[in-house]
Amino acid sequence: MQAATMGTMRMKIRGLAWAWLTVLAAVLWAGAAPIVEGEGKAVNTKAGPTETVSLWVAPDRAFFRPGEQVRILVAAEPQSVGALRQAQARKLQVQVFHLDRAVAAWEIGLREPLAPPLEGSGAQGGPAADAQRAQGTAAGRGGGASAGETPPMIPQGLQLVAVATWQPPAQPAGYGVEVTAWDVQGRAVAHGSGAFDVAHRWTDVPRYGFLARFSPQDRTADPIPWMNGYHLTGVQFYDWMYRHDTYLPPSDEFVDPLGRPLSLEVVRQRVREAKAAGMAPMAYTAVYAASPQFAKAHPDWALFRLDGKPYTFGDNFLEIMNPEAGSPWSQHLQEEFAGIVSKMGFAGVHIDQYGDPKVGYSSADGGHEVDLPKAFADTINATKANLRQAGLPDSVVFNAVNAWPLAEVAASDEDFVYIEVWPPNDLYPDLQALITQGRKLGGGKPVVLAAYPADAGDATVRLLDAVIFASGGYHIELGEQGGVLTDPYFPNYQAASPGLQQALARYYDFAVRYREWLYGATPPEGVDEQWHFEGAPVTGGTWPSRKVWAFWTLAEPAVSAAPAVPGIAGASGAPGVPGQGSVQILHLINLTGASLPAWRTHKEAPPAVGPITVEAPLPTGRTPDAVYWASPDGQRGALAELPFQVRHKPAGQGTVRFTVPQLQYWDMVVIRYQAGARP
C-alpha cells in the first residue's frame, strides 16, 4: 500500500543532481587507474510528475497464486476525490515493475461519478485501445470497475476510484505498481504506488499478523481491509479459545481464563473475513498448557519436576502437561487440533511454548526424563500428518522461544521458522544472527521473528523492521486496526501513529516489491576494510552504535516470464534475462542516532546523512553493468540508477564507486554484475 502525500517524503532525482554527482565522483577519482563510467538515470519513476493528490494503491488479496488474475484497487480520501473531480481527471496510467524492469503498462478510466470510463475499458475488459496499441504487448491487461462493484478491501474513510486487473506470469515473484492520474490536458494530478506478489503458498511469504479482539462488541469492527493494505498473508488468532486444554466453549459467548468476554461467532466471522482477503487464519494453541481444573482431573498427565511436583506457569495460572509422543496429553491435543480446524475453518495451528521448562519428568516418582526438543518436533510432525490425513488445512507453526530448541523444530515439518526473541538477544546484530541461523537450520525456510519493542514509536519500529527485512526475515507486529505488538500478550498491543502507519505501508510494499532481492539472497556479511565510505561513519561490526550499519548479500538474478514493456521513460533495458550475472545488495541502516544498538529500547528519529560515497571491492574479473538505489523512506520505494565508476587494477582487486544521495533510515543499493562467474 502507498499513500504518497500522507506524510511521505517526495524525493525527485533530477538530471542536474546526477550530473553533479558524476562531476564530484570524477574529481575525487582524479589520477586513478583507467575508469569505466556508468550512466545514471531514473528507473521506476516517471520523470517530473507535478501531481498534488495522493492515491491509495493495493491489491484486493494478500497475495496471488500462480494463474490467478490480479486486481489492483485504487482509492483516495474524500477531499482527494474532490480534487480529482475539480481537475477533471479522466484516466489513470498503471505501470507494473518486476525489480528493475517494466513489465506492463496500460490506461483505465476512473469510476463514476468522477469520469466516464475510457473506451475499451470495463470490469473484465482490456486496457484502453490507444494504450494497448501503443504498448504493442499483451503484458498489460487491465480495466476499470463497474459502478455497482463494492470491493471489500478498502479501508474505512477511503473511496474507490478505479480497479485495474492484470494477469501476471505463473511463476512466483514480487511486483511494484505505479498509478498516475491525468487530467484532460494530459497533466499528472495524482499518484500512488503499491505492490503485490505471486506465491504458491502463504507460508512461502509469511507476512504474519495478529488478531486478539473477539468480544461481542467487536462484531462490527472491520480490521481486515486495513491489514490487507500491508500484504499480511497469515493471521495468528491469539487467545481466541475457551481454555488452553479445551478450545471450543460450551456456548457461543463465554469468558476466557483472563476474564475477557469473547464470542465464538466473532471468531468465525474473522476467519471468514481473513480468508476472503487471501489471509490464512491460524489458531493460537499451546503445546503443553492446561487449566488447573483440567490438570486436577488428569493428575498423571502432567510434566513433573525432579522434586515430584508438577510444573506450573504464571503463578499457578496454568499447569504444564507432558507433550511427548504417545502420552495421553499428546493424544488429547491432536484431537483438539483436528476439531478446531474442521469446525472453525482455521488454516492450521500456531503452537506456542514458554521457553521453560527445558527439563521434565514423566511422573511424580521420577519416571523417565522427557526429551522436550524431540517431543516438540514430534508434536509438529504429528499435527501436520494428522491434519493432512483428515483432508484438512495443515499449516503448522511452532514458537522456538529465543531459538530453543531451534535445531529440532526447524528441521521438523513446520512450515516456517518462528522465533520469539528475548534477552540476551538484545542487539540489532543478534536479530540478524537469529534469522541467519533459522534459515540455515530450517533448510532455507522463511524466518519470522516475534520481537516486541518497548513502544510503537515511529523510529523504534522503523529501525527494527529495517534490520529484520534487510536481513531476510519477517516480523509479526501488525494487527487489528493500526495495532503494533509491543508485548507478548497480544491484546496489550499499542496503536501506531498515522505517520508510522504510512511509513510501514511503504516498508511492507518495499518488502513485497523487492522480494527476490531481500528473501532470495545469501546470509548477510558485514562490510570490511576493503569497503570505503565517505560522508558518514560506517561500520560492518557487531556494535553499530552512532554509525551507519552496512552489510551485503548476494542474490541470483530473478528471471521474469513477462516481456519488458518498451517506451516507458526511465525503465531499464532488459535485466533479468537468462545468463545475466548475480546481483550484490548493500544495505545501509542509519543507527547514527542510537547510543546503544539495542533494538528494544525507544529510539528518536536519526538525523539524515549523506550523500555517502561508497567504494566497493569487485569480485576478480567482474564488472558491474548497473548500480541501483532504492529506499522505503522516499522515492516511493522505486529504483533509481546511480552513476558509477569502475577502476580495474593491473594487479589485485578492482573497485566500483558510486554515491548514495541520502540515508534516512534504510537504503538498499543493488550492484548488477555482467554475466560470468558468481561473485
Side-chain angles (χ1 to χ4, degrees):
M1 181 188 76
Q2 184 80 8
T5 61
M6 296 189 293
T8 64
M9 190 177 197
R10 297 185 168 198
M11 297 178 61
K12 303 294 195 293
I13 307 302
R14 303 185 184 276
L16 181 61
W18 295 128
W20 178 83
L21 288 173
T22 304
V23 171
L24 174 64
V27 171
L28 291 173
W29 273 56
I35 291 172
V36 178
E37 295 189 0
E39 178 187 1
K41 59 186 177 182
V43 175
N44 287 2
T45 54
K46 186 173 180 64
T50 58
E51 73 280 349
T52 59
V53 175
S54 170
L55 299 175
W56 180 93
V57 179
D60 69 346
R61 293 177 64 80
F63 74 103
F64 298 90
R65 290 182 170 83
E68 290 184 337
Q69 187 182 59
V70 172
R71 273 169 50 96
I72 302 165
L73 308 180
V74 183
E77 296 177 338
Q79 60 268 33
S80 297
V81 174
L84 287 173
R85 186 180 297 111
Q86 184 176 4
Q88 297 182 344
R90 297 176 58 86
K91 61 182 180 179
L92 293 174
Q93 181 188 50
V94 182
Q95 296 179 346
V96 178
F97 296 87
H98 176 233
L99 299 176
D100 56 350
R101 83 197 291 230
V103 296
W106 69 97
E107 289 182 345
I108 59 175
L110 291 165
R111 289 168 60 98
E112 296 285 3
L114 290 177
L118 287 176
E119 181 182 355
S121 67
Q124 298 298 326
D130 290 343
Q132 191 175 33
R133 284 193 297 269
Q135 294 304 331
T137 176
R141 301 191 182 279
S146 64
E149 293 181 23
T150 308
M153 291 302 142
I154 297 294
Q156 294 179 355
L158 297 181
Q159 178 179 335
L160 183 72
V161 298
V163 177
T165 59
W166 184 60
Q167 187 65 52
Q171 64 200 62
Y175 296 91
V177 184
E178 304 284 341
V179 178
T180 305
W182 303 88
D183 65 12
V184 292
Q185 296 179 327
R187 296 174 302 189
V189 295
H191 184 273
S193 62
F196 64 89
D197 60 355
V198 176
H200 290 292
R201 297 167 297 274
W202 80 270
T203 52
D204 294 339
V205 285
R207 296 182 290 270
Y208 212 13
F210 75 94
L211 288 171
R213 296 180 59 178
F214 309 107
S215 74
Q217 289 71 36
D218 294 318
R219 191 182 307 274
T220 58
D222 194 16
I224 298 298
W226 182 88
M227 296 168 67
N228 182 70
Y230 297 83
H231 316 287
L232 301 183
T233 58
V235 185
Q236 184 184 149
F237 281 56
Y238 182 91
D239 273 14
W240 62 276
M241 64 281 192
Y242 175 60
R243 296 292 183 267
H244 289 76
D245 48 72
T246 306
Y247 297 123
L248 299 180
S251 60
D252 176 75
E253 295 189 5
F254 59 97
V255 176
D256 80 353
L258 289 175
R260 295 193 309 154
L262 302 181
S263 166
L264 199 64
E265 181 51 39
V266 172
V267 177
R268 289 195 180 96
Q269 178 181 330
R270 293 289 176 269
V271 167
R272 293 191 297 267
E273 293 167 350
K275 287 183 173 180
M279 303 178 191
M282 296 289 288
Y284 172 89
T285 65
V287 69
Y288 45 31
S291 64
Q293 295 80 6
F294 185 93
K296 184 177 181 180
H298 305 87
D300 55 340
W301 291 19
L303 184 70
F304 294 90
R305 305 187 313 192
L306 188 59
D307 62 6
K309 296 180 180 179
Y311 279 105
T312 62
F313 176 79
D315 195 22
N316 296 321
F317 171 61
L318 296 170
E319 292 202 19
I320 305 300
M321 301 288 103
N322 177 6
E324 67 181 339
S327 68
W329 169 258
S330 176
Q331 296 173 17
H332 170 78
L333 197 64
Q334 292 300 323
E335 293 173 358
E336 288 290 317
F337 287 170
I340 59 177
V341 173
S342 63
K343 296 176 183 178
M344 297 296 297
F346 286 116
V349 291
H350 178 107
I351 307 174
D352 195 15
Q353 57 129 338
Y354 305 139
D356 280 308
K358 291 182 171 63
V359 177
Y361 298 88
S362 61
S363 64
D365 59 2
H368 62 272
E369 183 176 338
V370 176
D371 186 342
L372 286 172
K374 183 178 186 302
F376 295 160
D378 288 343
T379 298
I380 295 167
N381 296 339
T383 303
K384 172 74 76 171
N386 291 340
L387 292 176
R388 182 170 295 173
Q389 185 175 6
L392 296 171
D394 60 0
S395 297
V396 180
V397 181
F398 188 91
N399 183 7
V401 176
N402 228 21
W404 182 81
L406 186 58
E408 289 79 4
V409 300
S412 74
D413 291 337
E414 68 174 354
D415 288 279
F416 55 83
V417 176
Y418 182 100
I419 303 173
E420 190 175 55
V421 186
W422 294 102
N425 292 304
D426 296 324
L427 305 182
Y428 291 114
D430 295 331
L431 300 179
Q432 187 176 90
L434 289 174
I435 294 168
T436 298
Q437 184 184 20
R439 290 177 61 183
K440 179 180 179 181
L441 293 175
K445 291 177 183 177
V447 176
V448 175
L449 297 187
Y452 315 118
D455 58 67
D458 289 23
T460 307
V461 176
R462 289 172 71 173
L463 285 171
L464 177 56
D465 281 348
V467 170
I468 293 175
F469 293 176
S471 300
Y474 298 88
H475 186 202
I476 181 169
E477 61 178 335
L478 299 179
E480 298 298 346
Q481 186 72 32
V484 173
L485 288 178
T486 56
D487 191 277
Y489 182 58
F490 288 10
N492 288 343
Y493 65 85
Q494 293 184 16
S497 69
L500 179 58
Q501 293 184 45
Q502 295 151 20
L504 290 181
R506 298 194 302 270
Y507 275 56
Y508 278 76
D509 276 352
F510 197 82
V512 172
R513 184 169 186 162
Y514 302 114
R515 185 180 105 190
E516 293 99 313
W517 284 344
L518 294 174
Y519 298 102
T522 59
E525 296 189 34
V527 299
D528 56 23
E529 66 277 359
Q530 298 183 77
W531 292 72
H532 300 282
F533 298 86
E534 302 168 15
V538 179
T539 182
T542 58
W543 192 262
S545 61
R546 301 293 189 190
K547 293 184 179 181
V548 174
W549 190 31
F551 51 88
W552 59 273
T553 63
L554 294 174
E556 293 299 328
V559 180
S560 175
V565 175
I568 293 183
S572 60
V577 297
Q580 180 193 339
S582 300
V583 295
Q584 185 174 23
I585 303 144
L586 172 67
H587 294 285
L588 302 173
I589 311 292
N590 188 357
L591 298 180
T592 59
S595 57
L596 291 174
W599 58 266
R600 205 184 308 269
T601 59
H602 175 77
K603 300 290 186 299
E604 296 294 339
V609 297
I612 303 174
T613 298
V614 183
E615 184 179 344
L618 286 175
T620 302
R622 299 299 302 276
T623 300
D625 59 12
V627 177
Y628 301 116
W629 165 60
S631 174
D633 303 311
Q635 275 293 102
R636 301 170 178 143
L639 288 176
E641 191 168 350
L642 297 177
F644 66 92
Q645 296 173 312
V646 174
R647 183 173 68 175
H648 294 295
K649 299 180 180 179
Q653 192 172 36
T655 57
V656 56
R657 187 181 181 95
F658 52 87
T659 297
V660 177
Q662 187 181 52
L663 170 63
Q664 185 178 3
Y665 286 90
W666 171 24
D667 281 358
M668 179 179 73
V669 177
V670 179
I671 306 172
R672 194 182 72 201
Y673 291 100
Q674 296 174 2
R678 180 189 174 104

